[in-house]
Amino acid sequence: MTQDSRIRLLIVDDEQTIRRLCMTVGESLGLVCLEAESGEAALAMLDEQLVHMVLTDMVMAGISGVEFLGHVKRSHPRVEVAVMTGHGSVETAVQAMKLGAYDYIGKPFSPLDDLRLFLRRMADKVRLVEENLYLREKSETESSLHGIIGSSAGIQHVLRLISRLKDTRTPVLISGESGTGKELVARALHFRGSLANRPFVAVDCGSLVPTLIESELFGYEKGAFTGALRSKQGLLQSADSGTIFFDEVGELPLEMQAKLLRFLQEKEVRPVGSNHKVKVDVRIMAATNRDLDAEYKRGTFRKDLYFRLNVVSISLPCLRDRRSDIPILSAFFLDRLAPGRGVVLSGNAIKAMMAYDWPGNVRELENCLERAVALTDQRVIEVCDLPPGIGEAEVQSETHGPSVPVPVGGELRATDLEDIERATIQRVFSQVKGDKALAGRMLGISRATLYRKLKRYNIAAGALARSASALQ
Ligand SMILES: Nc1ncnc2c1ncn2[C@@H]1O[C@H](COP(=O)(O)OP(=O)(O)OP(=O)(O)O)[C@@H](O)[C@H]1O
Ligand SMILES: [Mg+2]
């Protein structure tokens, strides 16, 4: 299901020799083996990693095996737990079974083959359950759940991942170019899953003013700084028991990355200006259109934070790599934009759209159809209703940068003005090679306004470089 579809076993025991022994046997069965030396450490791992089955000791320092089992069954009901019991502890074995343990095995393991057989049987059961779930999820996703449209292999894979992950609390990093549906996926993971009636809080890391991020996330006390007239709860606390979604997480300043990492480790927030920490339990999701893998290697993104966010990654295909979805997506949007009007695309319009590269992906497609629906009152959308740049009617611009569409019939519409604004911002933005501060000054608008407009028009440095070169 993730990069690796092998069964993952977590071994919990405070004795290193036992852990090593179990690891060796587990690995010989082809399982991915993880280890923890206490129930507490194991619970933390379960929150952060994908685990299918657990083998745990019953007598450990810290929380007992029974308590540990109870926690796992409550917060990760899909994880199978088997227990290891010492000599003559029949009662604990019985208690564990009552709490929903898969089975128990006596320690010491003699002969070792018993353990091998035990783990193999358990892994077989887990595999069977997983395969069944996979089939169920496959049929669920094929009937187009989640409001995410597409029948290409790329999207079907994404839908299966969503089905698989929606009822877990595993951190998910969603990557993909601008407009590919990252936020849509994050929302589907939350609202179609077991946290659906809990809060979903999206934090747009790209538009938060750097100096205010900490107080936004962690909250603040009255008088913590000038202007803090009363105390305010932070976004993390607002998301308690639900999901917090860090959109454009690559934009977080390094200093904030460190603070976020500490929060992920301690699961506590301390509002700015307060001495008290508050426990917060949230599922983490993040999205990025940057290559964080390269960034952490370069040192511009914290490696430890990257690994905490990227427990499972969902990478969204760009639209030009799944052109077969263009007709079905278009039909979906036309229906939504002009309900009941039965608007369709002409054969040539579809052809033109299939040939176009869609640097702005699904959002650009949606915008393009919105514009077409606004420009025509006909039932059939023709190539000429599509923005210049799409289709045979494309006229290459003489000037540098993206072309500004010429209004038809001398009448300037709101959408035309927007096109002009968009093209202007794009041109300036590519001239300054994505330097947002400089672009803002050249355009005479504030940084915040620029951020808003960049977002609105779906302008990103990567997409720009491509569209600029395509127009040369
Ligand atoms: N597969 C899809 N089916 C239906 N609608 C989609 C799909 N993918 C994206 N969309 C729509 O496209 C628009 C852009 O999606 P979204 O905001 O999730 O993209 P994003 O990857 O977060 O973009 P950005 O990086 O610009 O923030 C939204 O209106 C969304 O509903
Ligand atoms: Mg987004």
Side-chain angles (χ1 to χ4, degrees), residues 182-183 247-248 363 455:
K182 297 185 291 293
E183 179 156 0
D247 205 357
E248 297 311 338
R363 181 178 296 109
K455 198 169 164 55

Side-chain angles (χ1 to χ4, degrees), residues 22 68 70 72 91 96 109 111 130 147 177 255 315 325 349 362 373 381 386 389 397 401-402 430 457:
C22 298
F68 169 66
V72 178
E91 286 105 274
F109 314 112
E130 288 291 313
E177 283 182 11
E255 187 201 348
S315 122
D325 283 342
V362 184
V373 167
I381 292 177
L386 302 176
S397 160
S430 65
Y457 294 128

Side-chain angles (χ1 to χ4, degrees), residues 172-321:
V172 180
L173 179 67
I174 306 161
S175 60
E177 283 182 11
S178 195
T180 46
K182 297 185 291 293
E183 179 156 0
L184 193 65
V185 167
R187 288 180 183 276
L189 277 167
H190 178 86
F191 289 104
R192 306 280 171 165
S194 50
L195 296 180
N197 51 8
R198 308 280 171 76
F200 175 88
V201 175
V203 184
D204 184 353
C205 303
S207 66
L208 283 176
V209 182
T211 47
L212 294 182
I213 301 182
E214 181 174 5
S215 52
E216 284 286 336
L217 284 184
F218 295 92
Y220 53 84
E221 288 291 310
K222 179 176 172 181
F225 45 84
T226 340
L229 298 180
R230 55 195 149 144
S231 50
K232 188 173 173 240
Q233 196 181 56
L235 294 170
L236 283 164
Q237 222 178 323
S238 316
D240 195 13
S241 84
T243 302
I244 187 140
F245 170 54
F246 291 101
D247 205 357
E248 297 311 338
V249 73
E251 304 286 325
L252 267 192
L254 277 169
E255 187 201 348
M256 264 328 289
Q257 292 178 22
K259 291 189 170 147
L260 180 58
L261 180 71
R262 193 158 340 117
F263 164 74
L264 295 179
Q265 287 161 344
E266 296 171 358
K267 302 193 166 69
E268 287 176 339
V269 299
R270 191 172 62 78
V272 178
S274 159
N275 298 320
H276 297 291
K277 290 187 169 179
V278 191
K279 275 260 166 228
V280 169
D281 181 25
V282 286
R283 179 185 197 177
I284 306 288
M285 291 184 208
T288 181
N289 60 16
R290 307 200 336 203
D291 182 2
L292 288 189
D293 203 59
E295 299 215 0
Y296 90 73
K297 285 173 188 150
R298 259 205 317 271
T300 46
F301 196 85
R302 283 189 71 115
K303 181 177 173 183
D304 38 16
L305 180 61
Y306 173 69
F307 281 101
R308 283 215 164 228
L309 298 174
N310 189 27
V311 176
V312 176
S313 59
I314 297 185
S315 122
L316 293 180
C318 42
L319 192 53
R320 66 188 159 282
D321 289 341

Side-chain angles (χ1 to χ4, degrees), residues 137-154:
E137 283 152 4
K138 194 159 173 282
S139 68
E140 263 180 23
T141 52
E142 276 164 7
S143 57
S144 164
L145 207 75
H146 312 315
I148 299 173
I149 309 297
S151 54
S152 61

Side-chain angles (χ1 to χ4, degrees), residues 14 37-40 59-64:
D14 47 4
E37 55 180 19
S38 69
E40 288 88 341
V59 188
M60 294 179 285
I63 62 169
S64 71

